[in-house]
Amino acid sequence: MNKLFVEASPHIRSSRTTQNVMLDVVIALCPALIAATIIFGIKALVLTVICCASCVVFELLFNMIAKKERTISDMSAVVTGMLLAFNLPVDLPIYMAVIGCFIAIVIVKCLFGGIGQNFANPAITARIALMLSFTAAMTTWTAPLSAWDSSIDAATSATPLVADKLPSLMDMFLGVRAGCLGETCIAALLLGALYLLIRGVIRFETPLCFIGTVAVLTLFKNGFDCMDMLGQLMAGGLVLGAFFMATDYSTTPITTKGKIIFAVGCGVITFLIREFASLPEGVSFSILVMNCLTPLIDRVTVPKPLGALVPEKKKKEGENNG
């Protein structure tokens, strides 16, 4: 006799694992890491390795102290370390970077239950914490290619968002400009983003709507100057944030409609901070704000299952309110 077995969802299982997804993200970030090493020197690679190692060690120690299952094999800590490093100036003191790793892994991720339970992107939150705590160090930028000139001990430069004149579009596309070590080379970031799109790790809605919103608002603000608009899109961390942090699974909406609302919100906040606030860059703050609104967006946009009944308690509450 045939028997029917009833099991909890999900009923359709995929061969994709957290480790597979995180490995794809690491691979996608490698072109930007190679570009950063060329642009800023070997110290860019050293800072990234230290951030990755610190994140893995902090997660391992937390799991050991809290007597929880070891989770470092899923590689999410490595991704957090890489993304945090990409959001830091290349000459940031190492101890500050390690503090950022502690904030990202222990406070934002592990204390909220681990991967999938954190309310905000760990790397974004850690970057903002470092920016508020060590403002001078977090806003001191190294000039591109200065590491390879032996006649220069150190050289600083303004980022495009605060410079009097934007670098050429080609220089910005290739990363020959000042900025955080992983955000400068747009070509490398787009190459990694294309890999993630082909692999199905991310979807196009969020990056397209995020960048598109900033583009449209910038065009209206600056009298439809397309060249200036392109410069604004490649300046700062917009491309890095749109493709690699605004697409985080656990801190962004789950529906297509929700993703669009989330991305447009990020774009509007980024534009407002860039144009009207005292901070030159708003990508990190915009993503953090929208991370906090994600539960509300999900509640509004998640469709009700066909034929679902209203719980009796809520039904009575509605009748009483009526």
Side-chain angles (χ1 to χ4, degrees):
M1 182 177 67
N2 294 327
K3 295 182 180 181
L4 296 177
F5 295 95
V6 179
E7 293 183 351
S9 61
H11 301 296
I12 301 176
R13 302 184 182 275
S14 171
S15 59
R16 297 286 283 175
T17 64
T18 301
Q19 187 183 62
N20 297 150
V21 172
M22 295 302 162
L23 181 58
D24 277 339
V25 176
V26 170
I27 293 172
L29 290 171
C30 283
L33 178 58
I34 294 171
T37 305
I38 295 173
I39 295 166
F40 297 110
I42 195 66
K43 52 191 174 182
L45 179 61
V46 172
L47 182 61
T48 303
V49 171
I50 289 174
C51 285
C52 291
S54 298
C55 286
V56 171
V57 170
F58 282 135
E59 184 165 319
L60 177 61
L61 291 176
F62 181 90
N63 289 336
M64 292 175 62
I65 294 171
K67 297 182 179 179
K68 292 190 174 184
E69 180 184 357
R70 308 290 191 270
T71 55
I72 58 172
S73 60
D74 64 17
M75 295 190 68
S76 61
V78 175
V79 171
T80 298
M82 290 189 74
L83 288 176
L84 177 57
F86 279 21
N87 279 276
L88 301 178
V90 71
D91 283 320
L92 186 77
I94 296 300
Y95 79 91
M96 294 183 186
V98 174
I99 290 174
C101 295
F102 177 83
I103 294 171
I105 293 297
V106 177
I107 297 178
V108 183
K109 180 182 178 183
C110 293
L111 288 180
F112 282 88
I115 186 171
Q117 304 298 319
N118 45 291
F119 75 98
N121 185 287
I124 285 288
T125 310
R127 186 200 184 205
I128 292 175
L130 290 176
M131 187 181 299
L132 296 176
S133 303
F134 309 106
T135 305
M138 285 291 291
T139 53
T140 300
W141 313 104
T142 301
L145 305 177
S146 60
W148 306 107
D149 189 343
S150 58
S151 63
I152 301 176
D153 292 331
T156 60
S157 177
T159 63
L161 289 172
V162 297
D164 295 330
K165 182 180 179 181
L166 287 174
S168 69
L169 294 181
M170 183 57 68
D171 281 348
M172 296 183 71
F173 184 71
L174 297 177
V176 188
R177 63 179 178 88
C180 294
L181 70 89
E183 71 183 16
T184 58
C185 186
I186 305 302
L189 291 171
L190 291 179
L191 180 62
L194 179 62
Y195 174 81
L196 292 182
L197 288 168
I198 293 174
R199 291 284 293 168
V201 175
I202 64 173
R203 294 170 57 179
F204 70 91
E205 293 92 348
T206 299
L208 180 64
C209 293
F210 191 169
I211 297 174
T213 300
V214 176
V216 171
L217 293 175
T218 302
L219 279 175
F220 276 105
K221 173 67 169 54
N222 297 331
F224 295 92
D225 185 342
C226 293
M227 299 300 288
D228 180 73
M229 180 268 292
L230 290 174
Q232 289 293 323
L233 295 187
M234 291 191 286
L238 179 59
V239 175
L240 174 65
F243 283 103
F244 292 95
M245 288 178 285
T247 53
D248 181 38
Y249 290 166
S250 61
T251 59
T252 56
I254 60 177
T255 64
T256 299
K257 185 186 298 183
K259 292 179 187 297
I260 293 173
I261 295 172
F262 177 93
V264 171
C266 286
V268 170
I269 295 172
T270 297
F271 171 78
L272 292 176
I273 292 177
R274 284 185 173 186
E275 292 293 335
F276 304 108
S278 58
L279 292 172
E281 176 63 299
V283 173
S284 297
F285 288 96
S286 69
I287 295 175
L288 179 59
V289 170
M290 295 309 295
N291 282 164
C292 296
L293 294 178
T294 291
L296 178 60
I297 296 173
D298 277 337
R299 182 180 300 178
V300 173
T301 59
V302 171
K304 185 178 72 174
L306 181 64
L309 299 176
V310 178
E312 192 67 25
K313 183 177 179 181
K314 290 186 178 180
K315 186 175 181 181
K316 290 182 178 180
E317 289 177 355
E319 293 174 353
N320 293 335
N321 293 333

